[in-house]
């Protein structure tokens, strides 16, 4: 839901990134300086180093202006190094060196060009090219480098590609861009041309015939440009710039090159020419972009004779009879370039006609109208880039036109905007088309009833985007007629509210709102207060939010108020009214819009509007300080913090934000989490100013709920949650704000009494509609179940007078009150008890909700049931609680009555193996009511129902599936362990969860249970209810999990261990504080955990978990854990080392049937033998025989290759131990005849390392065992004689 918030981080880290880049560039570009000599540039560099520098620069794409202060310091070393290489080492570009064997070695120019292109991508080619060297002497060397490095001349005798490959496209792009920059030299090119250069053949699809009198350098530049002009990559753009710079030079005009190349380009587009039919797509784009660039850059006098033929060629290409029509219409880039040509032709034609005062237009009488019609049609193009180009072109042309013509364009755009716009009366369902309205009210809809809403279903969002963007550009270029500005403002207002969803649910209205933000920004920037004052504009209905039930006085909240008789129609409108309306719209968009770029765009427009008119907007300075560009980056922060703080500035903004939250930006959002956030914001908004506004807000929400169709479950979901959040916010404010008590005593009780009915009639379209029943599938929607449960919970908490000091979102309602929370709320916003009829209906609603399997429904239903239980008597609670336990666990009552019941274990496994949706909800519900059905302070014995709940949770953890086990442990944490419960069954349940290692096709799914069990242990230890032996049992299990191989479990366990270090009896505090999951894979962390092995009651459990990390963990964890283990064992005295070794033997012996622990244990023992650590134990004679017997027993008749390979390594290590050396050699020799070839090879390698027998290396051990017996016999004979 939230956008990224990386710009503040980039701003803080930009200095470090730039400093690192500045420090790295000299070492990257030049060799180390020697004494008395200037450092020389490198010939070759590593591509990986180049990528590192590029990664330092790429974050600045989000905020390129941060580079500007250091841009010269960053670019000058690159430019100087490139020139130095070009002057001294250009001929060595393709020469191989001793470093050529490295795959990531590239020539220095290639690396520099990649970095320079990154700068162009971030800051723009026009800005970066200003820092290029502009000395004319480098024109020819750079051109020669482009030709030679790219092997364009196809020199004979070099069929093989160069060592470092051909020139890449980044190099060609930068070289072409640099050449275009050097063409700005004022000297004639003939004076700097070398005639001794032989021109080679060029294989381009754009062949051009040049006059013979051209200088050689000009021919080379033309050939290079036309060659790259037909390519599909980025260098085509640079080639266009180079060719345009060349033809507009005065010396080229004098020798006729300009006309030659223009007519050459036009000949390629001629339909009668055979070249047009075979012109490739990218070649067509290149030719058109060259013409567009020429029209923009050429001298007006030079265009007199060329405008007409260019216009004729473009018209022919756009006609359906042209062979290029398919390529012209299928390519987005080609259509965009064609629009640029049309724009340039129109502007140049208008300027020439105005200058010459000709009676006959240069391009014909109807050309301008045809061009404008073509651009208006292009505003609805399917591609965004084409629409942007068309809107910009239309505004550029409008600047040159008379105001009357511009007014006609604006009228046409506004008419097209509202042509497909519909208005729907939400009360009657009647729909009005924009064409049905009076012409003078077409843009406002002021002839519609108050209950009408804009309907965008028939609107083409792409067309609206182009039309709104064109109006924005017209406003930006100050070509908008003054009398059209009111209509345009209303259009911007409607566009800022535009939203449409695709069939998949994705938003397609964001681009329309983005164009509206640009329009508002241009309006604020270009129009003065005097201009606003003289507008004869109506206060149109489009300037007030159209929500069902909204009031004129409250929904718009204009200052000063407008008399009813002047609400519609033309009149002299004070500018502060219009500006305040626009400010309200921008505030709503900036704080509530779902798209981050819209929120920021609206914030920027608001800053501009207030900055230029600070005294005409209510509390404008305070407003822009709250609605900050950076503050609205995260939607949750914008909605819950910025919007609420804005509403506290002035009541005008309060009403505007409430209307926005009740619209599609809030509770009408298709995203459930966004609706929850909007409901939370409505709750905060209701009491952000005056307490009596809470009743008004509840009335607005209820009225909209009644008018919302039953099928619109998403909006009803948001509205009902909003009611719950308002009630909860009243409880929060009532517990801490005494000054609110009087208004709450007067208003909320009567209002809250009506909400009990909403809890069961809110499911229906209206309270009198009985066509739907709660049992229908529509009413079982998880959204409605969640919303109604949250409302029940809030009302029940209010009715039971429980104050809530601090709550999160509505989906995280507490299941229990904190001690001492009964406060002054008996008459402070307290909801009355439900009636008998409501009580029965609400019970039925909760029964339905408990059958939902959605996690949000489970949490909401459990919280609602716990809160609703506060309103019930003790007898009813106990009766209902036992009924739920019976539903949850049928065999449980048999066990409670007769523990010796036969076949009870089988019954548990059969029943607990199944899981239904209602089971998870029952688990959460029973945990939520645990504190209400008996004592919870530990001084009195638990009630029978509490015992039944604990036993039921224990059995589900023991026999249930993974999801049920996790749910039970979470319920145990929140509902049982939150209090001082000392029952031994709870401790047993925790141990079951800590030792769950269930595996299925998904992998180690038991890790989910272990992680939840760790959280439960942390909660239990916080109550300090267990004895020292019991805490040690839990501590040993947590220590085992704190060193196991799974990162998520290890981190959760280490956090629990860290916070309960003293409770576990491990000392005052841990030496190393763990705050990140990566720290649990470090050597320091492993050493800290191994230090706990000095405690006898922790050692075996900790080592059992540790060997899974040291024997089967990830690569980084394996290295860290083994290094720490080796260092730790080497520091032990002989007695302690003996103790640890015996402990490892015991683990191996005790887990020989559990491969989860067995194989890692064998790997650790193999590592310790290889490191020579186990061999340090001399005084224990039986350890080695036991180790050998254990390994032999574990690998007997096994087919596990990994286990057998580990055994081979252990046998090889045991050959260094005198007690079992001969036995180990004999075992390795026998394994030379093992059925698995891989094991035979491993045994042969180990024997060769131990004995040094060369015969073992020369044998092919993949042969059949019959052929190997003689060889094995000779090996055995040699070993017996040793």
């Amino acid at each position: 839901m939230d956008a990224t918030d990386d710009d503040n981080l980039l701003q803080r880290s930009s200095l470090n990134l730039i400093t690192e880049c500045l420090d790295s560039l000299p070492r990257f570009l030049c060799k180390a300086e020697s004494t008395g000599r200037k450092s020389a540039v490198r010939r070759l560099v590593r591509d990986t180093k180049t990528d590192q520098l590029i990664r330092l620069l790429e974050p600045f794409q989000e905020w390129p202006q941060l580079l500007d202060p250091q841009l010269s310091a960053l670019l000058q070393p690159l430019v100087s190094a490139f020139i130095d290489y070009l002057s001294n080492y250009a001929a060595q570009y393709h020469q191989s060196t001793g470093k050529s064997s490295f795959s990531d070695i590239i020539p220095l120019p290639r690396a520099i060009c990649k970095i320079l292109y990154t700068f162009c991508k971030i800051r723009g080619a026009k800005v970066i090219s200003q820092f290029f060297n502009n000395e004319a002497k480098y024109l020819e060397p750079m051109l020669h480098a482009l030709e030679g490095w790219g092997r364009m001349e196809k020199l004979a005798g070099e069929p093989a590609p160069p060592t470092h490959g051909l020139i890449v496209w980044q190099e060609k792009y930068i070289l072409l861009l640099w050449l275009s920059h050097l063409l700005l030299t004022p000297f004639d090119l003939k004076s700097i041309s070398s005639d001794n250069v032989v021109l080679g053949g060029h294989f381009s699809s754009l062949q051009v015939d040049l006059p013979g009198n051209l200088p050689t350098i000009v021919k080379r530049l033309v050939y290079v440009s036309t060659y790259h002009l037909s390519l599909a990559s980025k260098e085509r753009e640079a080639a266009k710039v180079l060719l345009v710079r060349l033809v507009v030079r005065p010396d080229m005009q004098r020798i006729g090159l300009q006309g030659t190349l223009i007519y050459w380009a036009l000949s390629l587009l001629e339909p009668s020419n055979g070249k047009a039919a075979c012109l490739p797509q990218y070649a067509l784009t290149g030719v058109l972009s060259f013409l567009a660039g020429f029209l923009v850059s050429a001298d007006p006098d030079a265009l007199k004779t060329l405008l007409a033929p260019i216009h004729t060629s473009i018209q022919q290409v756009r006609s359906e009879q042209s062979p290029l029509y398919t390529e012209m219409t299928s390519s987005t880039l080609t259509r965009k370039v064609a629009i640029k040509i049309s724009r340039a032709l129109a502007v140049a034609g208008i300027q020439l006609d105005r200058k010459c005062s000709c009676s006959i237009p240069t391009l014909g009488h109807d050309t301008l109208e045809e061009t404008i019609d073509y651009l208006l049609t292009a505003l609805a193009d399917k591609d965004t880039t084409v629409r942007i180009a068309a809107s910009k072109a239309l505004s550029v042309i409008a600047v040159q036109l008379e105001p009357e013509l511009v007014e006609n364009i604006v009228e046409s755009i506004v008419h097209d905007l509202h042509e497909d716009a519909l208005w729907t009366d939400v009360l009657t369902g009647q729909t009005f088309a924009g064409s049905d309205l009076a012409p003078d009210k077409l843009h406002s809809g002021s002839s519609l009833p108050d209950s009408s809403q804009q309907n965008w279903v028939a609107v083409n969002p792409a067309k609206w985007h182009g039309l709104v963007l064109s109006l924005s550009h017209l406003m930006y270029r100050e070509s908008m007629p003054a009398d059209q500005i009111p209509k345009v403002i209303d259009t911007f207002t409607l566009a800022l509210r535009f939203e449409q969803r695709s069939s998949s649910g994705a938003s397609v209205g964001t681009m329309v709102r983005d164009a509206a933000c640009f329009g508002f920004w241009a309006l604020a920037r270009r129009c003065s207060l005097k201009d606003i004052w003289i507008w004869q504009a109506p206060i149109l209905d489009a300037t007030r939010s159209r929500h069902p039930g909204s009031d004129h006085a409250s929904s718009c909240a204009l200052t000063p108020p407008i008399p009813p008789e002047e609400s519609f129609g033309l009149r002299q409108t004070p500018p502060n009214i219009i500006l305040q309306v626009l400010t309200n719209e921008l505030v709503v968009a900036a704080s509530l819009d779902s798209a981050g770029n819209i929120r920021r765009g609206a914030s920027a427009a608001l800053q501009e509007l207030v900055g230029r008119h600070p005294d005409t907007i209510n509390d404008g300075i305070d407003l822009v300080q709250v609605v900050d560009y950076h503050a609205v980056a995260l939607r949750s922060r914008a909605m819950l913090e910025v919007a609420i703080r804005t509403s506290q500035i002035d009541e005008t903004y309060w009403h505007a934000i409430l209307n926005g939250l009740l619209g599609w930006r809030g509770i009408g959002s298709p995203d459930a989490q966004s609706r929850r956030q909007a409901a939370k914001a409505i709750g905060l908004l209701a009491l952000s100013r005056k307490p009596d506004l809470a009743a008004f807000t509840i009335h607005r929400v209820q009225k909209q709920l009644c008018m919302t169709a039953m099928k619109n479950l998403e909006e009803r979901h948001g509205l009902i949650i909003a009611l719950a959040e308002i009630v909860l916010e009243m409880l929060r404010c009532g517990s801490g704000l005494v000054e609110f008590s009087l208004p709450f005593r007067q208003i909320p009780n009567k209002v809250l009494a009506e909400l009990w009915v909403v809890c069961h009639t809110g499911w229906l379209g209206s309270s009198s509609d009985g066509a739907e029943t709660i049992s229908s599938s529509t009413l079982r929607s998880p959204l409605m179940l969640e919303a109604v449960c949250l409302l029940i919970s809030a009302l029940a908490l209010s009715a039971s007078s429980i104050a809530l000091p601090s709550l999160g979102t509505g989906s995280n309602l507490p299941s229990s009150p904190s001690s001492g929370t009964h406060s002054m709320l008996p008459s402070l916003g307290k909801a009355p008890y439900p009636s008998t009829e409501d009580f029965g209906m609400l019970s039925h609603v909760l029964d339905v909700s408990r059958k939902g399997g959605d996690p949000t429904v489970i949490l909401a239903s459990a919280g609602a049931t716990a809160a609703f239980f506060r309103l019930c008597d003790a007898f009813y609670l106990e009766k209902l609680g036992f009924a739920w336990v019976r539903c949850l666990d049928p065999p449980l009552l048999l066990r409670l009555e007769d523990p010796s019941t036969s076949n009870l274990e089988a019954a548990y496994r059969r029943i607990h193996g199944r899981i239904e949706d209602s089971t998870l909800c029952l688990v959460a519900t029973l945990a939520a009511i645990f504190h209400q059905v008996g004592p919870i302070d530990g001084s009195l014995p638990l009630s029978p129902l509490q015992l039944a709940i604990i036993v039921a949770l224990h059995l589900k953890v023991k026999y249930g599936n993974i999801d049920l086990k996790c749910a039970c442990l979470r319920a145990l944490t929140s509902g049982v362990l939150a209090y001082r419960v000392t029952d031994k069954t709870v401790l047993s349940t925790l141990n079951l969860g800590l030792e769950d290692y269930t595996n299925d096709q998904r992998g180690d799914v038991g890790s989910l249970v272990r992680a939840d069990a760790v959280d439960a242990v942390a909660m239990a230890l916080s109550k300090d209810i267990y004895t020292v032996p019991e805490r040690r049992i839990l501590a040993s299990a947590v220590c085992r999990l704190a060193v196991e191989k799974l990162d998520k479990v290890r981190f959760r366990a280490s956090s629990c261990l860290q916070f309960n270090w003293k409770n576990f009896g491990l000392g005052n505090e841990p030496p190393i504080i763990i705050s990140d999951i990566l720290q649990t894979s470090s050597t320091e962390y492993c050493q800290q955990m191994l230090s706990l092995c000095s405690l006898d009651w922790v050692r075996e459990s900790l080592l059992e978990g540790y060997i899974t990390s040291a024997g089967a963990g990830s690569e980084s964890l394996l290295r860290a854990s083994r290094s720490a283990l080796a260092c730790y064992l080497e520091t032990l005295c002989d007695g302690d080392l003996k103790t640890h070794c015996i402990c490892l033997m015991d683990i191996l012996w005790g887990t020989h049937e559990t491969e989860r622990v067995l194989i890692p244990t064998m790997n650790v023992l193999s590592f310790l033998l290889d490191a020579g650590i186990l061999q340090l134990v001399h005084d224990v004679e039986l350890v080695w025989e036991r180790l050998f017997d254990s390994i032999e027993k574990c690998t007997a008749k096994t087919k596990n290759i990994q286990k057998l390979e580990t055994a081979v390594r252990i046998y090889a290590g045991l050959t260094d131990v005198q007690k079992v050396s001969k036995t180990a050699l004999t075992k390795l020799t026998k394994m030379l005849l093992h059925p698995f070839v891989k094991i035979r090879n491993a045994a042969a390698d180990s024997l060769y390392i131990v004995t040094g027998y060369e015969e073992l290396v020369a044998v092919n051990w993949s042969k059949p065992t019959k052929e190997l017996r003689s060889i094995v016999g000779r090996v055995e004979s040699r070993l017996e004689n040793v």
Side-chain angles (χ1 to χ4, degrees), residues 78 161 300 378 421 431 504 536 654 817 901 927 1035 1128 1140 1153 1256:
L78 294 168
T431 300
S504 61
Q536 299 294 324
W654 188 95
T901 303
Y1128 172 72
H1140 284 74
E1153 295 181 356
L1256 294 170

Side-chain angles (χ1 to χ4, degrees), residues 17 50 211 248 285 315 321 343 376 453 470 653 753 766 828 861 1047 1058 1060 1082 1146:
L17 292 174
T50 308
V248 298
T285 304
Q315 290 294 99
Q321 291 76 23
R343 180 193 74 185
L376 288 174
Q453 283 184 331
S470 63
Y653 308 126
S766 65
L828 183 60
S861 178
D1047 293 345
Q1058 176 175 295
N1060 296 280
S1082 63
D1146 292 339

Side-chain angles (χ1 to χ4, degrees), residues 32-263:
E33 298 182 6
S34 57
T35 305
R37 296 182 59 186
K38 182 181 178 181
S39 59
V41 295
R42 299 180 185 272
R43 289 173 50 200
L44 300 171
V45 294
R46 288 190 177 274
D47 198 14
T48 53
K49 297 293 184 180
T50 308
D51 293 338
Q52 289 177 7
L53 287 172
I54 292 175
R55 282 194 292 271
L56 292 175
L57 297 172
E58 284 181 339
F60 290 95
Q61 290 189 69
E62 182 69 21
W63 207 337
Q65 291 81 2
L66 292 174
L67 281 176
D68 287 353
Q70 300 293 333
L71 203 55
S72 177
L74 289 168
L75 290 173
Q76 287 305 324
L78 294 168
V79 173
S80 300
F82 190 94
I83 293 296
D84 195 354
Y85 185 97
L86 187 69
S87 304
N88 301 313
Y89 306 108
Q92 304 177 20
Y93 182 85
H94 288 301
Q95 291 183 6
S96 61
T97 63
K99 299 181 181 180
S100 299
S101 58
F102 295 100
S103 59
D104 66 336
I105 293 296
I106 59 174
L108 179 65
R110 187 173 303 171
I112 294 176
C113 289
K114 285 184 176 182
I115 299 173
L116 288 176
Y117 173 74
T118 303
F119 277 106
C120 293
K121 183 173 61 175
I122 295 172
R123 203 61 191 91
K126 292 182 180 179
V127 175
I128 300 303
S129 61
Q130 298 174 7
F131 295 90
F132 289 166
N133 188 296
N134 58 358
E135 296 181 71
K137 64 179 181 180
Y138 294 116
L139 178 60
E140 201 161 43
M142 196 163 294
L143 179 59
H144 181 73
L146 178 61
E147 294 173 332
W149 295 351
R151 287 293 190 266
M152 292 175 54
E153 296 172 330
K154 306 296 180 183
L155 299 178
E158 291 187 6
T163 305
H164 306 297
L166 295 175
I167 189 173
V168 297
W169 65 268
Q170 290 98 331
E171 288 179 274
K172 292 188 285 186
Y173 176 81
I174 295 298
L175 286 171
L176 289 168
L177 196 64
W178 207 325
L179 285 171
S180 68
H181 183 67
L182 292 174
L183 283 180
L184 295 175
T185 177
F187 309 110
D188 286 354
L189 295 182
K190 185 177 181 179
S191 63
I192 56 177
S193 175
S194 298
D195 296 331
N196 57 352
V197 179
V198 180
L199 297 177
H202 300 275
F203 301 90
S204 172
S205 59
L206 304 177
Q207 295 294 332
V208 54
D209 297 328
L210 297 175
N213 61 340
L214 294 179
T216 304
I217 192 172
V218 175
K219 294 181 180 179
R220 294 168 64 191
L221 286 170
V222 172
Y223 289 146
V224 166
S225 301
T226 54
Y227 171 78
H228 292 94
L229 202 63
S230 61
L231 300 182
S233 50
K234 189 74 173 178
E235 61 262 34
R236 182 183 63 248
E237 299 177 10
K240 180 261 296 185
V241 176
L242 174 60
L243 197 58
V244 169
R245 287 270 176 86
L246 182 64
V247 299
V248 298
R249 286 179 57 88
D251 55 339
M252 295 299 101
Q253 296 183 40
R254 289 193 296 269
I255 63 177
L257 180 65
Q258 184 180 95
T260 300
L261 289 180
I262 294 301
Y263 284 106

Side-chain angles (χ1 to χ4, degrees), residues 372 376 379 390-403 405-414 466-482 484-485 488 492 515 518-519 522-523 526-527:
I372 293 176
L376 288 174
L379 292 177
S391 62
K392 184 177 180 180
L394 201 60
S395 66
V396 171
I397 294 175
V399 174
Q400 308 294 330
L401 298 177
E402 298 297 329
L405 296 177
V406 179
E407 185 174 348
N408 293 335
I409 295 175
V410 175
E411 288 283 359
S412 176
I413 292 175
V414 173
L467 294 172
V468 175
L469 190 60
S470 63
L471 293 177
S472 301
H473 276 290
L474 288 171
M475 188 72 74
Y476 174 73
R477 297 183 188 278
E478 300 183 6
S479 56
M480 179 68 65
Q484 295 294 323
I485 290 179
V488 174
F492 288 160
F518 174 48
L523 173 71
R526 300 302 183 188
C527 298

